[in-house]
Short mmCIF file of all heavy atoms in Angstrom, two decimals:
data_model
loop_
_atom_site.label_atom_id
_atom_site.label_comp_id
_atom_site.label_asym_id
_atom_site.label_seq_id
_atom_site.Cartn_x
_atom_site.Cartn_y
_atom_site.Cartn_z
N MET A 781 0.85 -1.16 0.00
CA MET A 781 0.02 0.01 0.05
C MET A 781 0.86 1.29 -0.06
O MET A 781 1.93 1.22 0.63
CB MET A 781 -0.81 0.01 1.20
CG MET A 781 -1.81 1.16 1.36
SD MET A 781 -3.08 0.94 2.59
CE MET A 781 -4.42 1.62 1.76
N ARG A 782 0.45 2.27 -0.76
CA ARG A 782 1.13 3.56 -0.81
C ARG A 782 1.08 4.29 0.49
O ARG A 782 0.09 4.27 1.13
CB ARG A 782 0.70 4.26 -1.96
CG ARG A 782 0.78 3.57 -3.34
CD ARG A 782 2.15 3.43 -3.85
NE ARG A 782 2.03 2.83 -5.21
CZ ARG A 782 3.07 2.57 -5.84
NH1 ARG A 782 4.31 2.68 -5.41
NH2 ARG A 782 2.95 2.03 -7.04
N ASP A 783 2.08 5.09 0.73
CA ASP A 783 2.12 5.86 1.88
C ASP A 783 1.10 7.18 1.72
O ASP A 783 0.81 7.51 0.46
CB ASP A 783 3.42 6.49 2.25
CG ASP A 783 4.07 7.34 1.23
OD1 ASP A 783 3.55 8.49 1.07
OD2 ASP A 783 5.04 6.90 0.60
N PRO A 784 0.70 7.80 2.71
CA PRO A 784 -0.33 8.77 2.70
C PRO A 784 0.18 10.03 1.88
O PRO A 784 -0.62 10.69 1.13
CB PRO A 784 -0.59 9.22 4.19
CG PRO A 784 -0.22 8.01 4.93
CD PRO A 784 0.85 7.32 4.19
N GLU A 785 1.47 10.31 1.99
CA GLU A 785 1.96 11.44 1.20
C GLU A 785 1.84 11.23 -0.32
O GLU A 785 1.51 12.15 -1.05
CB GLU A 785 3.46 11.77 1.54
CG GLU A 785 4.04 12.94 0.76
CD GLU A 785 5.55 13.11 1.12
OE1 GLU A 785 5.99 12.56 2.10
OE2 GLU A 785 6.06 13.94 0.36
N PHE A 786 2.16 10.04 -0.76
CA PHE A 786 1.96 9.63 -2.17
C PHE A 786 0.56 9.80 -2.58
O PHE A 786 0.20 10.33 -3.61
CB PHE A 786 2.45 8.21 -2.42
CG PHE A 786 2.24 7.70 -3.85
CD1 PHE A 786 3.10 8.12 -4.87
CD2 PHE A 786 1.08 6.98 -4.08
CE1 PHE A 786 2.84 7.67 -6.04
CE2 PHE A 786 0.94 6.47 -5.39
CZ PHE A 786 1.75 6.82 -6.48
N LEU A 787 -0.37 9.34 -1.69
CA LEU A 787 -1.81 9.44 -2.09
C LEU A 787 -2.19 10.79 -2.20
O LEU A 787 -3.02 11.14 -3.06
CB LEU A 787 -2.63 8.62 -1.06
CG LEU A 787 -2.31 7.12 -1.01
CD1 LEU A 787 -3.20 6.49 0.16
CD2 LEU A 787 -2.66 6.48 -2.32
N ASP A 788 -1.78 11.66 -1.23
CA ASP A 788 -2.08 13.13 -1.33
C ASP A 788 -1.64 13.77 -2.56
O ASP A 788 -2.28 14.50 -3.26
CB ASP A 788 -1.52 13.90 -0.09
CG ASP A 788 -2.22 13.63 1.19
OD1 ASP A 788 -3.32 13.08 1.18
OD2 ASP A 788 -1.60 13.90 2.24
N ARG A 789 -0.26 13.44 -2.99
CA ARG A 789 0.23 14.02 -4.21
C ARG A 789 -0.49 13.51 -5.49
O ARG A 789 -0.74 14.28 -6.43
CB ARG A 789 1.69 13.72 -4.34
CG ARG A 789 2.55 14.40 -3.27
CD ARG A 789 4.00 14.16 -3.49
NE ARG A 789 4.19 12.70 -3.27
CZ ARG A 789 5.33 12.12 -3.55
NH1 ARG A 789 6.38 12.77 -4.07
NH2 ARG A 789 5.51 10.83 -3.41
N THR A 790 -0.83 12.19 -5.53
CA THR A 790 -1.64 11.70 -6.65
C THR A 790 -2.98 12.34 -6.72
O THR A 790 -3.53 12.71 -7.80
CB THR A 790 -1.63 10.26 -6.62
OG1 THR A 790 -2.23 9.75 -5.51
CG2 THR A 790 -0.27 9.59 -6.91
N ALA A 791 -3.60 12.55 -5.49
CA ALA A 791 -4.96 13.13 -5.58
C ALA A 791 -4.87 14.56 -6.09
O ALA A 791 -5.70 15.00 -6.81
CB ALA A 791 -5.57 13.14 -4.13
N ASP A 792 -3.87 15.28 -5.65
CA ASP A 792 -3.63 16.72 -6.20
C ASP A 792 -3.44 16.62 -7.72
O ASP A 792 -3.98 17.44 -8.36
CB ASP A 792 -2.42 17.32 -5.46
CG ASP A 792 -2.67 17.69 -3.99
OD1 ASP A 792 -3.88 17.68 -3.66
OD2 ASP A 792 -1.69 17.93 -3.28
N ALA A 793 -2.60 15.66 -8.19
CA ALA A 793 -2.31 15.65 -9.61
C ALA A 793 -3.63 15.28 -10.41
O ALA A 793 -3.86 15.91 -11.55
CB ALA A 793 -1.24 14.67 -9.91
N ILE A 794 -4.45 14.48 -9.83
CA ILE A 794 -5.66 14.03 -10.59
C ILE A 794 -6.70 15.31 -10.49
O ILE A 794 -7.24 15.54 -11.58
CB ILE A 794 -6.31 12.90 -9.82
CG1 ILE A 794 -5.51 11.64 -10.01
CG2 ILE A 794 -7.77 12.69 -10.33
CD1 ILE A 794 -5.85 10.44 -9.20
N ALA A 795 -6.67 15.97 -9.49
CA ALA A 795 -7.49 17.24 -9.40
C ALA A 795 -7.09 18.30 -10.48
O ALA A 795 -7.95 18.79 -11.20
CB ALA A 795 -7.53 17.81 -8.04
N VAL A 796 -5.76 18.43 -10.60
CA VAL A 796 -5.20 19.43 -11.54
C VAL A 796 -5.53 18.90 -12.92
O VAL A 796 -5.95 19.70 -13.74
CB VAL A 796 -3.66 19.63 -11.38
CG1 VAL A 796 -3.04 20.33 -12.49
CG2 VAL A 796 -3.51 20.40 -10.02
N MET A 797 -5.31 17.65 -13.19
CA MET A 797 -5.64 17.10 -14.52
C MET A 797 -7.09 17.25 -14.83
O MET A 797 -7.43 17.69 -15.92
CB MET A 797 -5.26 15.58 -14.58
CG MET A 797 -5.35 15.04 -15.89
SD MET A 797 -4.70 13.32 -15.93
CE MET A 797 -5.62 12.48 -14.67
N GLY A 798 -8.00 17.04 -13.91
CA GLY A 798 -9.41 17.10 -14.18
C GLY A 798 -9.82 18.65 -14.42
O GLY A 798 -10.62 18.96 -15.37
N GLN A 799 -9.23 19.47 -13.73
CA GLN A 799 -9.56 20.95 -13.79
C GLN A 799 -8.91 21.35 -15.20
O GLN A 799 -9.73 22.19 -15.91
CB GLN A 799 -8.95 21.69 -12.73
CG GLN A 799 -9.41 23.16 -12.77
CD GLN A 799 -10.94 23.33 -12.45
OE1 GLN A 799 -11.48 22.79 -11.59
NE2 GLN A 799 -11.53 24.13 -13.34
N ALA A 800 -7.84 20.99 -15.51
CA ALA A 800 -7.26 21.41 -16.85
C ALA A 800 -8.13 20.78 -17.94
O ALA A 800 -8.33 21.61 -18.97
CB ALA A 800 -5.74 20.93 -16.91
N ALA A 801 -8.55 19.59 -17.88
CA ALA A 801 -9.31 18.97 -18.97
C ALA A 801 -10.66 19.74 -19.05
O ALA A 801 -11.10 20.06 -20.14
CB ALA A 801 -9.62 17.58 -18.66
N HIS A 802 -11.19 20.19 -17.84
CA HIS A 802 -12.46 20.99 -17.87
C HIS A 802 -12.29 22.30 -18.46
O HIS A 802 -13.08 22.75 -19.37
CB HIS A 802 -13.05 21.13 -16.47
CG HIS A 802 -14.14 21.88 -16.44
ND1 HIS A 802 -14.12 23.22 -16.12
CD2 HIS A 802 -15.50 21.53 -16.48
CE1 HIS A 802 -15.39 23.68 -16.08
NE2 HIS A 802 -16.30 22.70 -16.32
N ASP A 803 -11.18 23.00 -18.07
CA ASP A 803 -10.98 24.43 -18.49
C ASP A 803 -10.48 24.41 -19.97
O ASP A 803 -10.79 25.35 -20.72
CB ASP A 803 -9.95 25.06 -17.63
CG ASP A 803 -10.49 25.37 -16.17
OD1 ASP A 803 -11.74 25.18 -16.03
OD2 ASP A 803 -9.64 25.65 -15.39
N TYR A 804 -9.61 23.55 -20.41
CA TYR A 804 -8.92 23.67 -21.63
C TYR A 804 -9.22 22.55 -22.61
O TYR A 804 -8.81 22.63 -23.85
CB TYR A 804 -7.42 23.73 -21.45
CG TYR A 804 -7.00 24.86 -20.56
CD1 TYR A 804 -6.52 24.58 -19.21
CD2 TYR A 804 -7.03 26.16 -20.89
CE1 TYR A 804 -6.19 25.65 -18.39
CE2 TYR A 804 -6.64 27.14 -20.03
CZ TYR A 804 -6.21 26.88 -18.84
OH TYR A 804 -5.82 27.87 -18.00
N GLY A 805 -9.85 21.55 -22.17
CA GLY A 805 -10.13 20.32 -22.95
C GLY A 805 -9.34 19.14 -22.63
O GLY A 805 -8.16 19.42 -22.28
N PRO A 806 -9.81 17.98 -22.88
CA PRO A 806 -9.01 16.81 -22.48
C PRO A 806 -7.74 16.52 -23.20
O PRO A 806 -6.87 15.95 -22.69
CB PRO A 806 -10.00 15.67 -22.63
CG PRO A 806 -11.13 16.26 -23.48
CD PRO A 806 -11.17 17.63 -23.32
N GLY A 807 -7.63 17.02 -24.43
CA GLY A 807 -6.44 16.89 -25.20
C GLY A 807 -5.49 18.01 -25.11
O GLY A 807 -4.46 18.10 -25.86
N SER A 808 -5.78 19.00 -24.29
CA SER A 808 -4.95 20.20 -24.24
C SER A 808 -3.56 19.86 -23.62
O SER A 808 -3.36 18.92 -22.92
CB SER A 808 -5.71 21.28 -23.32
OG SER A 808 -5.62 20.85 -21.95
N SER A 809 -2.68 20.75 -23.85
CA SER A 809 -1.28 20.56 -23.41
C SER A 809 -1.33 20.65 -21.79
O SER A 809 -0.48 19.96 -21.15
CB SER A 809 -0.36 21.57 -24.01
OG SER A 809 -0.80 22.94 -23.62
N GLU A 810 -2.17 21.50 -21.28
CA GLU A 810 -2.33 21.61 -19.77
C GLU A 810 -2.77 20.24 -19.26
O GLU A 810 -2.14 19.75 -18.27
CB GLU A 810 -3.24 22.75 -19.48
CG GLU A 810 -2.77 24.07 -19.80
CD GLU A 810 -3.12 24.57 -21.26
OE1 GLU A 810 -3.50 23.73 -22.00
OE2 GLU A 810 -2.82 25.69 -21.43
N ALA A 811 -3.69 19.67 -19.73
CA ALA A 811 -4.26 18.33 -19.24
C ALA A 811 -3.30 17.27 -19.49
O ALA A 811 -3.02 16.42 -18.69
CB ALA A 811 -5.64 18.02 -19.88
N GLN A 812 -2.61 17.30 -20.63
CA GLN A 812 -1.58 16.25 -20.97
C GLN A 812 -0.38 16.47 -19.97
O GLN A 812 0.23 15.43 -19.55
CB GLN A 812 -1.22 16.34 -22.41
CG GLN A 812 -2.38 16.17 -23.31
CD GLN A 812 -2.16 15.09 -24.34
OE1 GLN A 812 -1.11 14.58 -24.56
NE2 GLN A 812 -3.20 14.65 -25.00
N GLY A 813 -0.01 17.61 -19.66
CA GLY A 813 1.02 17.88 -18.75
C GLY A 813 0.79 17.30 -17.38
O GLY A 813 1.63 16.78 -16.77
N ALA A 814 -0.46 17.58 -16.97
CA ALA A 814 -0.93 17.03 -15.65
C ALA A 814 -0.83 15.54 -15.70
O ALA A 814 -0.55 14.90 -14.65
CB ALA A 814 -2.30 17.57 -15.28
N ALA A 815 -1.38 14.92 -16.73
CA ALA A 815 -1.36 13.51 -16.90
C ALA A 815 0.07 12.93 -16.78
O ALA A 815 0.34 11.93 -16.19
CB ALA A 815 -2.09 13.01 -18.12
N LYS A 816 1.00 13.63 -17.39
CA LYS A 816 2.45 13.18 -17.39
C LYS A 816 2.93 13.34 -15.98
O LYS A 816 3.80 12.39 -15.50
CB LYS A 816 3.22 14.16 -18.40
CG LYS A 816 4.68 13.88 -18.45
CD LYS A 816 5.08 12.43 -19.06
CE LYS A 816 6.52 12.32 -19.11
NZ LYS A 816 7.04 11.18 -18.53
N ALA A 817 2.58 14.37 -15.27
CA ALA A 817 3.10 14.53 -13.82
C ALA A 817 2.61 13.33 -13.05
O ALA A 817 3.24 12.77 -12.25
CB ALA A 817 2.57 15.90 -13.22
N LEU A 818 1.24 12.99 -13.25
CA LEU A 818 0.76 11.84 -12.49
C LEU A 818 1.49 10.48 -12.90
O LEU A 818 1.92 9.81 -11.97
CB LEU A 818 -0.71 11.64 -12.80
CG LEU A 818 -1.50 10.53 -12.08
CD1 LEU A 818 -1.45 10.66 -10.57
CD2 LEU A 818 -2.90 10.46 -12.56
N GLU A 819 1.76 10.36 -14.16
CA GLU A 819 2.51 9.16 -14.58
C GLU A 819 3.91 9.19 -13.97
O GLU A 819 4.35 8.13 -13.56
CB GLU A 819 2.59 9.28 -16.18
CG GLU A 819 3.00 8.01 -16.78
CD GLU A 819 2.97 8.19 -18.34
OE1 GLU A 819 3.83 8.88 -18.90
OE2 GLU A 819 2.05 7.66 -18.89
N ASP A 820 4.51 10.30 -13.87
CA ASP A 820 5.89 10.46 -13.29
C ASP A 820 5.89 10.09 -11.82
O ASP A 820 6.82 9.43 -11.33
CB ASP A 820 6.43 11.79 -13.58
CG ASP A 820 6.77 12.10 -14.99
OD1 ASP A 820 6.86 11.17 -15.85
OD2 ASP A 820 7.02 13.32 -15.34
N LEU A 821 4.84 10.53 -11.12
CA LEU A 821 4.73 10.09 -9.64
C LEU A 821 4.66 8.64 -9.48
O LEU A 821 5.29 8.05 -8.61
CB LEU A 821 3.41 10.75 -9.07
CG LEU A 821 3.43 12.22 -8.80
CD1 LEU A 821 2.05 12.65 -8.39
CD2 LEU A 821 4.44 12.53 -7.69
N TYR A 822 3.86 7.96 -10.40
CA TYR A 822 3.78 6.50 -10.15
C TYR A 822 5.06 5.79 -10.58
O TYR A 822 5.50 4.82 -10.01
CB TYR A 822 2.61 5.96 -11.05
CG TYR A 822 1.29 5.93 -10.23
CD1 TYR A 822 0.45 7.04 -10.31
CD2 TYR A 822 1.01 4.91 -9.52
CE1 TYR A 822 -0.73 7.03 -9.54
CE2 TYR A 822 -0.18 4.82 -8.69
CZ TYR A 822 -1.07 5.96 -8.80
OH TYR A 822 -2.17 5.99 -8.03
N ALA A 823 5.71 6.33 -11.72
CA ALA A 823 7.02 5.77 -12.16
C ALA A 823 8.07 5.87 -11.00
O ALA A 823 8.75 4.79 -10.69
CB ALA A 823 7.50 6.41 -13.43
N ALA A 824 8.13 6.95 -10.34
CA ALA A 824 9.10 7.16 -9.31
C ALA A 824 8.80 6.26 -8.11
O ALA A 824 9.65 5.70 -7.55
CB ALA A 824 9.07 8.66 -8.87
N ALA A 825 7.47 6.21 -7.76
CA ALA A 825 7.05 5.25 -6.66
C ALA A 825 7.48 3.81 -7.03
O ALA A 825 7.91 3.11 -6.10
CB ALA A 825 5.63 5.49 -6.37
N ASP A 826 7.16 3.41 -8.26
CA ASP A 826 7.50 2.09 -8.65
C ASP A 826 8.96 1.79 -8.60
O ASP A 826 9.45 0.70 -8.14
CB ASP A 826 7.04 1.80 -10.08
CG ASP A 826 5.52 1.72 -10.11
OD1 ASP A 826 4.79 1.55 -9.10
OD2 ASP A 826 4.90 1.77 -11.22
N GLU A 827 9.81 2.80 -8.88
CA GLU A 827 11.25 2.64 -8.85
C GLU A 827 11.67 2.47 -7.40
O GLU A 827 12.53 1.70 -7.03
CB GLU A 827 12.03 3.77 -9.37
CG GLU A 827 11.96 3.82 -10.91
CD GLU A 827 12.64 5.07 -11.53
OE1 GLU A 827 13.35 5.78 -10.80
OE2 GLU A 827 12.49 5.24 -12.67
N ASP A 828 11.03 3.31 -6.49
CA ASP A 828 11.37 3.19 -5.10
C ASP A 828 10.90 1.81 -4.55
O ASP A 828 11.67 1.27 -3.76
CB ASP A 828 10.52 4.28 -4.23
CG ASP A 828 11.10 5.59 -4.46
OD1 ASP A 828 12.31 5.75 -4.97
OD2 ASP A 828 10.61 6.63 -4.03
N ASP A 829 9.81 1.30 -4.95
CA ASP A 829 9.42 0.00 -4.42
C ASP A 829 10.37 -1.10 -4.97
O ASP A 829 10.47 -2.02 -4.26
CB ASP A 829 7.92 -0.35 -5.02
CG ASP A 829 6.88 0.52 -4.29
OD1 ASP A 829 7.20 1.04 -3.22
OD2 ASP A 829 5.75 0.58 -4.82
N ALA A 830 10.85 -0.98 -6.12
CA ALA A 830 11.75 -1.97 -6.75
C ALA A 830 12.97 -1.90 -6.04
O ALA A 830 13.68 -3.02 -5.85
CB ALA A 830 11.93 -1.71 -8.17
N GLY A 831 13.42 -0.84 -5.48
CA GLY A 831 14.68 -0.77 -4.71
C GLY A 831 14.66 -1.23 -3.33
O GLY A 831 15.71 -1.37 -2.69
N HIS A 832 13.43 -1.57 -2.78
CA HIS A 832 13.38 -2.01 -1.43
C HIS A 832 13.35 -3.51 -1.29
O HIS A 832 12.80 -4.29 -1.83
CB HIS A 832 12.15 -1.37 -0.67
CG HIS A 832 12.38 0.08 -0.45
ND1 HIS A 832 11.47 1.05 -0.86
CD2 HIS A 832 13.28 0.80 0.15
CE1 HIS A 832 11.78 2.25 -0.55
NE2 HIS A 832 12.97 2.19 0.08
#
């Protein structure tokens, strides 16, 4: 299970992605950037998990 800080950060990233998709459209560079940030959070967490 992920730690609470990770869950907070991913919830924030999801909120930003949703707001960007609402404001600028789901294919906008803003929404895509937020999706990439969320993807990067998971990739970093997976790397940390693999290292333990």
Side-chain angles (χ1 to χ4, degrees):
M781 179 169 221
R782 305 286 188 184
D783 65 69
E785 181 182 345
F786 175 80
L787 297 176
D788 287 344
R789 289 184 300 168
T790 57
D792 288 345
I794 291 167
V796 168
M797 184 173 54
Q799 189 64 50
H802 177 268
D803 290 349
Y804 304 106
S808 67
S809 61
E810 292 84 353
Q812 299 231 350
K816 177 68 173 129
L818 181 61
E819 194 174 75
D820 291 347
L821 285 172
Y822 272 92
D826 289 345
E827 286 177 12
D828 287 346
D829 287 347
H832 288 126

